[in-house]
């Protein structure tokens, strides 16, 4: 969604704003007054406190207002024209808003809870494609400082994956270094969120210039691959009125499939299809599975389990909760197994397999096999399981945040 291209103007804007306080300005407002603002009084911050993250235009005008008090009276008119020209140049730069990351709170309840920038970006992007918002643009001048910070948050989340992967490949210590590296990146994100909250909660700086008035959403079409458009059109952002994909049960999936096949223009023997669906529903309802296979969500098992999110640890914690509640021997119908339960079991299987391979590799070392053999085996294993290790939490978060149409 043109993210690399969009970072360039934003970086340039920040640099220009930094220079603004000590050098000559070159620009103005799209709908700014042509008359000099020399007689315009500067707003008293004590008299009017406006909170909320400032836009880039707010930053520019606040800095210009501060410098304006030092400009000789006979030069104020020229200075104001320069400020107006600069604001107009800034306003002319437009970006596709949904091509940039958003704060998870603006995307949905589940993305806000997970606070995984990649999950938030994917969920918002798919919804933007489905609704057509992906083609809307807005002026860079109306982006907020917190919007720019979201770009940093997403960048650190992306960098976290190769950083953890590299740490996990360190011989012997990799198993312990990986969560440490992950915790460091999580700490950076936590500090960043605090900075955003501080910015949004404090008063805006005094401003001697009128608000920038622009048409917010001109359309500039973005070319997207057809498969991506088809996928987006089959999904809708979970807003509390629909069941997220992760929470669909096997019984519901059978009924949705039945309804789709019944409505599709396909050469089907519909009576036979309905009979097969009824038989499958009966099988799912009559056969049961141990409740231990239906893992709780990690946040229900405590902050440590939630932060580590490691299959065997999640399973053992889930077992401990079931034993404590006296439900360890309970069974449930297969019809009640949800999509995320099946996904958790698949992830658990992969994590256990990886753990056994790690143990086997360590056993080879104890038997005298040199590191020239065990180290490459460890690296190959880490790389082989990396798609599941780093992709599974993202996919699960997306499934919990969107519904099937």
């Amino acid at each position: 969604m043109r993210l690399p291209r969009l970072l360039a103007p934003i970086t340039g804007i920040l640099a220009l704003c930094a220079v603004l306080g000590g050098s000559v300005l070159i620009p103005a407002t799209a709908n700014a007054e042509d008359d000099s603002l020399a007689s315009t009084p500067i707003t008293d911050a004590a008299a009017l406190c406006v909170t909320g993250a400032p836009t880039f235009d707010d930053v520019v005008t606040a800095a210009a207002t501060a410098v304006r008090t030092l400009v000789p009276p006979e030069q104020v008119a020229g200075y104001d024209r320069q400020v107006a020209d600069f604001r107009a140049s800034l306003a002319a730069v437009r970006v596709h808003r949904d091509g940039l990351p958003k704060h998870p709170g603006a995307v949905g309840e589940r993305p806000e809870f997970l606070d995984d920038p990649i999950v938030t970006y994917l969920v918002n992007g798919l919804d933007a494609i489905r609704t057509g918002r992906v083609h809307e643009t807005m002026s860079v001048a109306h982006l907020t400082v917190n919007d720019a910070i979201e770009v940093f948050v997403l960048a650190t989340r992306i960098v976290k994956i190769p950083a953890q992967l590299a740490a996990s490949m360190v011989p012997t210590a990799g198993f312990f270094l990986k969560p440490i590296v992950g915790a460091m990146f999580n700490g950076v994100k936590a500090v960043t969120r605090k900075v955003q909250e501080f910015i949004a909660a404090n008063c805006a700086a005094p401003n001697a210039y009128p608000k920038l008035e622009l048409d917010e959403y001109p359309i500039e079409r973005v070319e997207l691959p057809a498969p991506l458009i088809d996928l987006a059109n089959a999904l809708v952002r979970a807003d509390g009125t629909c069941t997220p994909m992760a929470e669909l049960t096997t019984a519901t999936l059978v009924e949705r499939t039945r309804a789709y096949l019944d409505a599709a223009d396909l050469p089907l023997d519909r009576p036979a299809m309905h009979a097969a669906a009824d038989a499958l529903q009966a099988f799912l309802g009559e056969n049961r599975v141990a409740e231990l296979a239906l893992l709780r969500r990690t946040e229900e098992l405590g902050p440590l389990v939630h932060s580590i999110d490691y299959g065997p640890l999640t399973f053992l914690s889930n077992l401990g909760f079931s034993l404590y509640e006296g439900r360890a021997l309970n069974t449930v119908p297969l019809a009640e197994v949800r999509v995320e339960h099946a996904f958790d079991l698949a992830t658990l299987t992969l994590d256990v397999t990886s753990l056994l391979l790690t143990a086997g590799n360590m056993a080879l070392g104890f038997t005298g096999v040199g590191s020239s053999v065990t180290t490459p085996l460890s690296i190959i294993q880490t790389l082989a399981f990396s798609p599941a290790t780093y992709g599974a939490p993202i996919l699960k978060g997306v499934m919990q945040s969107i519904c099937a149409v």
Side-chain angles (χ1 to χ4, degrees), residues 72-84:
E74 66 276 9
Q75 298 179 18
V76 168
Y79 175 82
D80 287 338
R81 284 193 295 271
Q82 290 178 321
V83 173

Side-chain angles (χ1 to χ4, degrees), residues 3 6 25 27 83 88 105 110 114 162 168 178 190 222 260 271 303 307 310 337 340 377 386 399:
L3 184 57
L6 300 177
L25 303 174
V83 173
R110 188 63 186 173
L114 296 173
S168 64
K178 177 186 168 185
V222 179
Y260 172 78
S307 61
Y310 183 55
V337 176
E340 65 181 351
L377 286 176
S386 60
M399 290 194 303

Side-chain angles (χ1 to χ4, degrees), residues 100-377:
L100 293 172
K102 284 189 174 183
H103 189 280
V107 176
E109 183 178 347
R110 188 63 186 173
E112 182 177 23
F113 174 80
L114 296 173
D115 198 9
D116 185 323
I118 298 180
V119 171
T120 303
Y121 187 71
L122 292 175
V123 171
N124 182 67
L126 290 170
D127 187 64
I129 294 172
R130 187 186 65 82
T131 59
R133 297 194 330 270
V134 70
H135 305 296
E136 296 175 353
T137 68
M138 69 179 295
S139 170
V140 166
H142 281 185
L143 288 174
T144 69
V145 174
N146 280 357
D147 291 334
I149 293 176
E150 282 300 327
V151 176
F152 170 76
V153 174
L154 177 61
T156 56
R157 175 64 178 89
I158 293 173
V159 172
K160 176 182 174 181
I161 295 175
Q164 281 191 297
L165 180 60
S168 64
M169 289 193 291
V170 175
T172 309
F175 187 80
F176 304 100
L177 285 178
K178 177 186 168 185
I180 293 174
V181 171
M184 291 171 58
F185 278 91
N186 290 341
V188 171
K189 183 181 71 174
V191 171
T192 303
R193 293 295 184 218
K194 290 297 182 183
V195 171
Q196 287 181 311
E197 292 171 5
F198 176 82
I199 292 174
N202 280 271
C203 300
N207 193 327
Y209 297 91
K211 280 290 184 182
L212 190 64
E213 300 294 339
L214 294 173
D215 294 331
E216 270 303 288
Y217 300 112
I219 300 299
E220 182 182 329
R221 295 200 65 81
V222 179
E223 294 300 324
L224 299 167
L228 181 58
I229 296 175
D230 293 340
L231 174 63
N233 289 335
L235 303 170
V236 62
R237 190 172 62 185
D239 59 359
T241 62
C242 61
T243 303
M245 293 180 62
E247 297 178 17
L248 294 175
T249 63
T250 54
T252 304
L253 290 175
V254 171
E255 288 306 313
R256 289 179 66 92
T257 304
R258 184 210 299 260
Y260 172 78
L261 294 176
D262 204 26
D265 185 17
L266 297 172
L268 293 174
D269 182 347
R270 281 173 170 70
M273 182 270 291
H274 284 292
D278 291 339
L280 180 55
Q281 288 286 37
F283 173 83
L284 294 174
E286 294 168 2
N287 291 274
R288 306 177 71 84
V289 64
E291 193 175 278
L292 291 175
L294 280 57
L295 302 183
R296 296 169 175 82
R297 288 183 173 177
T298 52
E299 66 263 25
E300 299 174 28
L301 301 173
L304 179 61
V305 178
H306 181 59
S307 61
I308 297 177
D309 193 15
Y310 183 55
L313 177 61
T314 302
F315 177 79
L316 292 175
S317 300
N318 186 73
L319 174 61
F321 269 77
S322 295
L323 289 171
Y324 175 77
E325 296 170 355
R327 298 165 53 188
L329 301 179
N330 288 4
T331 61
V332 295
L334 285 172
E336 296 181 13
V337 176
R338 300 194 310 221
V339 170
E340 65 181 351
H341 292 149
F343 187 81
D344 287 336
L345 288 177
T347 304
L348 173 62
T349 301
L350 291 173
D351 286 342
V352 170
T353 302
S354 178
L355 187 62
L356 292 176
L357 289 174
T358 299
N361 199 38
M362 293 176 63
L364 285 176
F366 292 145
T367 59
V369 177
S371 60
S372 59
V373 174
T374 58
T375 298
L377 286 176

Side-chain angles (χ1 to χ4, degrees), residues 42-45 48-50 52 54 58-59 61-63 65-66 202-208:
I42 296 177
T43 303
D44 185 357
L48 178 62
C49 177
V50 179
D58 291 334
V59 173
T61 53
T65 298
N202 280 271
C203 300
N207 193 327

Side-chain angles (χ1 to χ4, degrees), residues 80-99:
D80 287 338
R81 284 193 295 271
Q82 290 178 321
V83 173
D85 291 339
F86 181 79
R87 295 177 71 193
S89 299
L90 187 62
V93 181
R94 309 198 73 86
V95 296
H96 287 90
R97 180 62 189 88
D98 288 287

